[in-house]
Amino acid sequence: MSAAMVSSTEMSTVHVRLLDEGTDVWRPVAAERLGETTYRLASIPVPDDETWSFQPGDIVVAERSSHDDDAPLIAVAKATDFDAPSWDARRRVA
């Protein structure tokens, strides 16, 4: 699907990693789909006791946590920091 085919009002849920939790914790956040893998996180307040890896309003690259289409979308990088070839290489090593 091309970015041009994506509706500007299509909403999804993207999971954002919480920092300083001692274990993996994810916050589901409403997000506007901008392209095939890019989303704008909703501009909502971050709870006082949470530190998010991405901030409300950030445009992020998200991918499914597994190959299952029902798997949650995970924010993996800010779209401005995303370099697809480098990311693919890093994922193959990990």
Side-chain angles (χ1 to χ4, degrees):
M1 176 183 302
S2 73
M5 294 174 58
V6 176
S7 167
S8 63
T9 58
E10 185 179 342
M11 298 299 288
S12 297
T13 299
V14 173
H15 290 75
V16 175
R17 185 171 182 256
L18 301 185
L19 304 175
D20 304 322
E21 293 292 320
T23 188
D24 285 343
V25 180
W26 303 86
R27 164 69 63 194
V29 178
E32 176 186 1
R33 187 172 183 188
L34 302 176
E36 188 172 339
T37 60
T38 54
Y39 297 81
R40 178 180 292 120
L41 300 177
S43 294
I44 59 172
V46 176
D48 291 337
D49 61 341
E50 293 182 0
T51 303
W52 292 9
S53 56
F54 303 102
Q55 297 305 303
D58 281 353
I59 297 174
V60 298
V61 175
E63 61 183 27
R64 299 265 174 216
S65 60
S66 73
H67 295 291
D68 180 358
D69 286 341
D70 292 329
L73 282 167
I74 303 295
V76 295
K78 275 191 176 182
T80 56
D81 298 335
F82 186 74
D83 170 26
S86 296
W87 182 254
D88 287 342
R90 188 175 102 184
R91 288 177 56 212
R92 280 193 293 272
V93 172

